[in-house]
């Protein structure tokens, strides 16, 4: 009997040890996977469009780019990453600033090529390591930090931030965070414009603790989403999960913003939720160039009855008030 019990004991211990090893492996794997880039360094080279300006702005700009990483005392932010035109160090001019709000479980370190490409168009672009940015709090703190650098004579960013030209970008959970960043904080009035890709619809955002009031948005806003089922499942989002950003939510958000605010809503044909980070690149960049650099060519994407976005087969369900 003792031998039987001993065998059973050894078997149980071996099984427990196997479970521990398996769990340890999965934890290590998940940790390593969380550090892997989610887009390739030259992802923009694969962008497809028959629209001249969308194709142009989805690519690289003319500026050489540098990166600085600065530790944060905030355990959620962990590190600020700031991409900027390399010439900034030797020029006396100020550059427009874009703050990026991360999507769910996504830190800036896993999509650095996104920031670098955007900065190549003449922007200072800043991100952080917050993987749950839906409240907009770390976005607000990040903006404050960069503005502090702008006032610090020992910083390379001293006097280099164009404080009248600050934009914010957010995807998915980060879309809700970007909306909150421009509406709920003491520095919300610092932003000149906002772009969101598949921002979590209002009821979903509320249930997740990222509730926003779209009626408070008072700056030019370009909102986008995909037509795929992950963004729009076709279900009623009031009674079931309608996708992260169904067309109905874009319509509600668009209509909830005052008509004296320039606003654009549009969806990318065939794009799933996970595609939005790269599929929206061309017109997201054009929007920021138009709003923050007063780029007249980029303006042609959005303004008037002949705006390029209106005839671009990549985009549909377009509504704009200018």
């Amino acid at each position: 009997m003792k031998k039987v019990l001993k065998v059973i004991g050894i078997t149980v211990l071996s099984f427990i040890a196997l479970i521990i090893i398996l769990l340890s492996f999965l934890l290590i794997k998940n940790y390593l996977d969380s550090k892997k880039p989610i887009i390739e360094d030259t992802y923009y080279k694969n962008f497809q469009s028959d629209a001249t300006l969308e194709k142009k702005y989805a690519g690289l700009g003319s500026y050489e780019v540098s990166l600085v990483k600065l530790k944060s005392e905030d355990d959620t932010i962990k590190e600020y990453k700031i991409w900027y035109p390399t010439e900034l160090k030797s020029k006396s001019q100020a550059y427009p600033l874009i703050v990026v709000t991360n999507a769910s479980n996504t830190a800036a370190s896993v999509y650095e090529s996104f920031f670098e490409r955007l900065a190549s168009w003449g922007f200072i672009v800043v991100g952080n390591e917050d993987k749950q940015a839906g409240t907009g709090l770390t976005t607000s703190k990040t903006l404050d930090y960069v503005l502090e650098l702008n006032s610090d004579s020992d910083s390379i960013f001293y006097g280099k931030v164009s404080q009248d030209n600050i934009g914010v970008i957010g995807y998915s959970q980060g879309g809700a965070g970007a909306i909150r960043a421009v509406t709920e904080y003491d520095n919300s009035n610092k932003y000149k414009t906002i772009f969101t890709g598949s921002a979590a619809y209002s009821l979903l955002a509320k249930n997740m603790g990222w509730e926003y009031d779209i009626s408070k948005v008072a700056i030019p806003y370009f909102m986008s989403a995909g037509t795929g089922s992950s963004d729009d499942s076709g279900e009623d989002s009031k009674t079931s999960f309608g996708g992260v950003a169904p067309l109905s939510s874009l319509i509600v958000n668009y209509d909830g913003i005052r008509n004296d605010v320039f606003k654009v809503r549009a969806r990318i044909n065939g794009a799933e939720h996970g595609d939005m980070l790269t599929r929206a690149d061309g017109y997201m960049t054009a929007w920021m160039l138009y709003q923050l650099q007063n780029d007249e060519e980029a303006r042609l994407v959005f303004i008037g009855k002949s705006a390029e976005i209106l005839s671009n087969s990549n985009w549909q369900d377009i509504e704009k008030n200018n």
Side-chain angles (χ1 to χ4, degrees):
M1 185 66 180
K2 290 183 178 180
K3 290 183 178 180
V4 173
L5 291 175
K6 183 177 181 181
V7 170
I8 293 174
I10 293 172
T11 302
V12 170
L13 289 174
S14 298
F15 180 74
I16 292 173
L18 181 61
I19 293 297
I20 292 173
I21 292 171
L22 179 60
L23 289 175
S24 299
F25 171 78
L26 290 175
L27 287 172
I28 293 171
K29 182 179 184 300
N30 287 338
Y31 174 78
L32 293 175
D33 286 346
S34 72
K35 299 295 183 181
K36 291 180 180 179
I38 59 175
I39 53 178
E40 298 177 355
D41 288 346
T42 56
Y43 73 94
Y44 48 84
K45 291 184 177 180
N46 298 320
F47 187 85
Q48 299 295 319
S49 178
D50 293 328
T52 302
L53 297 180
E54 184 180 35
K55 181 70 173 177
K56 173 181 177 178
Y57 295 126
L60 284 178
S62 60
Y63 291 81
E64 180 184 344
V65 175
S66 294
L67 166 64
V68 62
K69 300 180 182 181
L70 301 166
K71 294 293 183 183
S72 171
E73 295 180 358
D74 188 303
D75 291 337
T76 303
I77 291 173
K78 294 183 177 66
E79 187 175 56
Y80 300 101
K81 299 174 185 292
I82 308 175
W83 288 259
Y84 61 93
T86 304
E87 67 170 35
L88 173 150
K89 292 178 284 189
S90 59
K91 296 277 188 177
S92 59
Q93 70 187 70
Y95 297 78
L97 170 68
I98 298 174
V99 185
V100 180
T101 309
N102 297 324
S104 299
N105 299 314
T106 305
S109 56
V110 300
Y111 64 116
E112 292 191 347
S113 52
F114 171 89
F115 294 83
E116 183 178 14
R117 189 206 65 83
L118 185 55
S120 76
W121 288 96
F123 300 105
I124 299 170
V125 187
V126 57
N128 61 48
E129 296 296 281
D130 184 8
K131 296 182 179 181
Q132 302 294 330
T135 66
L137 178 59
T138 55
T139 301
S140 178
K141 290 181 177 181
T142 297
L143 174 59
D144 278 343
Y145 181 73
V146 177
L147 292 179
E148 287 174 8
L149 294 178
N150 185 62
S151 300
D152 181 359
S153 59
D154 293 327
S155 169
I156 62 170
F157 299 106
Y158 178 57
K160 299 299 177 67
V161 177
S162 177
Q163 297 185 64
D164 294 327
N165 293 289
I166 300 173
V168 62
I169 293 168
Y171 295 86
S172 190
Q173 178 183 161
I179 295 170
R180 287 183 56 84
V182 304
T183 57
E184 300 297 332
Y185 296 93
D186 289 342
N187 60 7
S188 291
N189 62 354
K190 299 288 187 182
Y191 294 100
K192 185 178 181 181
T193 192
I194 176 175
F195 167 88
T196 60
S198 301
Y201 71 86
S202 59
L203 181 58
L204 173 61
K206 180 179 180 180
N207 290 339
M208 296 299 292
W210 320 319
E211 183 175 10
Y212 56 79
D213 183 349
I214 199 67
S215 69
K216 292 182 179 180
V217 175
I219 55 177
Y221 183 7
F222 178 18
M223 62 186 76
S224 67
T227 62
S229 60
S230 51
D231 259 357
D232 194 339
S233 68
E235 301 291 331
D236 184 352
S237 60
K238 294 180 180 178
T239 58
S240 60
F241 182 64
V244 179
L247 176 59
S248 58
S249 72
L250 266 69
I251 293 173
V252 167
N253 283 354
Y254 182 91
D255 291 345
I257 299 172
R258 301 193 320 259
N259 286 329
D260 62 330
V261 175
F262 182 29
K263 51 187 177 177
V264 179
R265 68 166 171 82
R267 296 202 299 168
I268 301 177
N269 188 17
E272 292 292 347
H273 186 70
D275 299 330
M276 291 301 296
L277 181 65
T278 57
R279 288 284 300 277
D281 254 4
Y283 283 169
M284 174 276 292
T285 303
W287 178 260
M288 289 296 163
L289 285 168
Y290 170 41
Q291 294 294 325
L292 302 182
Q293 295 188 26
N294 198 29
D295 188 300
E296 285 298 313
E297 186 177 45
R299 177 182 183 274
L300 299 177
V301 171
F302 305 101
I303 300 298
K305 295 180 180 180
S306 59
E308 184 184 88
I309 192 172
L310 296 175
S311 60
N312 186 343
S313 61
N314 281 347
W315 294 79
Q316 65 179 64
D317 306 309
I318 302 159
E319 186 73 23
K320 63 190 190 72
N321 64 350
N322 203 333

